[in-house]
Amino acid sequence: EDRQAAFEELGHAPKYGPIEAIERATVVIDCTPVGNEMKAEFYDHAEGPLGFMAQGSEFGFGKMYARGINDSAVSIDDRFLHIVSCNTHNIAALIKTLAMDPDGQSHLEDGRFMCIRRANDISQSSGFVASPTVEAHKNDRFGTHHARDAHGLFETMGYDLNVFSSALKLNTQYMHSIHFSLTLDQDITVDEAIDRLNANTRVAVTLKRSANEVFSFGRDHGYYGRILAQAVVSLDTLAVRGGNELVGFCFTPQDGNPLLSTVAATLRLIDESSMEERLDVLRPYLYTEV
C-alpha cells in the first residue's frame, strides 16, 4: 500500500496488494533474491495458489527440482519447489548422463566441479569484477552451494553422492563454464562418454571451445536468445585419466535451464496429464548440438 502512489505516478493503476494478488494466482514463481523470506511472510499462509517455486540459491524453500533429473521424485503434492541454480542444473545433468546408467545405477565415486562464473548479466552494469575473483569454500563436505544443491537434488531419489564444487568469477559477461572431474567405479573411454552424451536430450555437445561462440549460437538460434539444454559439453576437452576419471569442460546456458524447469513445474501443477504435450512448443530449442 505504501508504494501505490509511486506506481500511479508512473502511469500504472495497481489493483491488488501482495496478499490479494498471491491468493488470486494459480502458481507463484518467486524471482526475488529473498524467496525464503517471502515464503515465511506470505506463502506459508496463502491458500489460493496450487504451488510456489523459488529459483537459484533458495536452499530450504522446498523440494529441489530440475527438469530431466528428478521428475520421478516430484508430484503435484509438492506445493513448494526449489528450482536449483543454472550451474547446479549443469552439474546434475553431467552426473546423470556420464556417471549413471539409464536404469539409475550410479557409478560415481567422486565428482569435482570448478564453476567458472561470469561476473554479471549482459543487461547489468553493477556487480562486475575487475579481475578473477575466487569464492570461499563455506561447506566442508560440498565446498560451494552448487555441489550441495546437486547432492540435495539426487537425494530426493535416494542417492548420497560424493561431490564437491569450487567457484570463481571472471571479468566476462558471456557464460558460466564448468571444469568437471568424474571418478567412476568402472573404466570409461572418451568414445563411450561421447556415446552417452549423444544418446540423451538433457545435454548438448559442441566442437566450440569459446564461450562467446556458444553464447552467440544461443542468441541467434535459441528461444528468445536462450539455449534450453541443461549443459553444453565441449567434446574436444574430454579426456580420461587413469582409465576411470573423466575430465572436461562444459558451458552453462545460464537462465535457460532453470526457466525450462520452472515452466515444466508450473505445467505439472496446473494439469499434470497435459504437461508433456504443452512442453512440445519448447522441444525444438532443446538442442543436442551447438
Side-chain angles (χ1 to χ4, degrees):
E1 293 181 359
D2 60 330
R3 302 293 181 89
Q4 182 167 338
F7 276 93
E8 290 172 346
E9 289 176 4
L10 294 172
H12 301 296
K15 296 180 180 179
Y16 312 117
I19 295 176
E20 186 177 3
I22 290 169
E23 289 289 358
R24 289 171 59 90
T26 305
V27 176
V28 174
I29 302 169
D30 190 313
C31 299
T32 74
V34 289
N36 280 314
E37 295 178 25
M38 296 287 285
K39 179 183 179 183
E41 184 174 358
F42 297 111
Y43 309 152
D44 278 337
H45 316 293
E47 298 180 357
L50 297 174
F52 304 83
M53 59 195 76
Q55 302 168 318
S57 304
E58 297 291 343
F59 189 76
F61 184 87
K63 179 178 285 187
M64 291 183 171
Y65 174 61
R67 167 72 175 172
I69 305 298
N70 68 330
D71 291 88
S72 62
V74 176
S75 73
I76 58 174
D77 295 328
D78 295 306
R79 196 162 179 248
F80 291 93
L81 288 178
H82 171 198
I83 309 298
V84 296
S85 72
C86 53
N87 279 323
T88 301
H89 272 79
N90 191 334
I91 290 171
L94 289 172
I95 292 172
K96 189 161 186 176
T97 304
L98 295 170
M100 291 185 173
D101 292 337
D103 63 3
Q105 181 179 356
S106 173
H107 297 282
L108 184 69
E109 290 190 338
D110 183 54
R112 303 292 180 96
F113 306 91
M114 170 59 76
C115 300
I116 307 165
R117 305 174 60 197
R118 64 178 182 179
N120 60 355
D121 191 86
I122 55 173
S123 64
Q124 294 175 321
S125 298
S126 62
F128 196 74
V129 295
S131 63
T133 304
V134 297
E135 293 189 16
H137 293 112
K138 297 180 180 180
N139 187 297
D140 290 341
R141 178 177 178 184
F142 301 116
T144 65
H145 80 87
H146 310 91
R148 179 203 65 190
D149 291 357
H151 178 273
L153 188 66
F154 282 99
E155 195 173 33
T156 65
M157 300 179 288
Y159 298 98
D160 182 14
L161 299 182
N162 181 26
V163 289
F164 191 89
S165 61
S166 304
L168 64 89
K169 284 186 178 181
L170 294 185
N171 44 337
T172 178
Q173 289 186 308
Y174 279 120
M175 295 185 79
H176 302 316
S177 55
I178 293 179
H179 175 266
F180 61 90
S181 167
L182 303 174
T183 301
L184 310 179
D185 63 6
Q186 62 183 12
D187 285 352
I188 190 171
T189 67
V190 170
D191 287 340
E192 288 171 344
I194 293 175
D195 287 342
R196 282 177 170 262
L197 292 167
N198 288 332
N200 86 101
T201 57
R202 292 179 295 270
V203 177
V205 298
T206 186
L207 295 177
K208 306 179 190 300
R209 286 184 286 167
S210 172
N212 68 322
E213 292 181 350
V214 178
F215 180 88
S216 179
F217 179 93
R219 181 191 61 188
D220 295 339
H221 305 288
Y223 186 70
Y224 285 87
R226 292 175 171 89
I227 298 170
L228 298 183
Q230 308 289 42
V232 181
V233 177
S234 179
L235 294 181
D236 287 343
T237 67
L238 293 177
V240 173
R241 179 174 177 266
N244 68 329
E245 182 188 1
L246 180 66
V247 298
F249 284 93
C250 59
F251 300 99
T252 302
Q254 271 96 258
D255 56 0
N257 45 25
L259 282 175
L260 177 65
S261 295
T262 301
V263 171
T266 301
L267 293 174
R268 176 183 284 110
L269 286 168
I270 293 173
D271 182 7
E272 189 172 23
S273 65
S274 66
M275 179 184 72
E276 295 298 333
E277 179 183 352
R278 289 176 180 269
L279 283 172
D280 284 345
V281 69
L282 296 178
R283 296 190 201 281
Y285 303 98
L286 291 169
Y287 293 105
T288 56
E289 184 176 358
V290 171

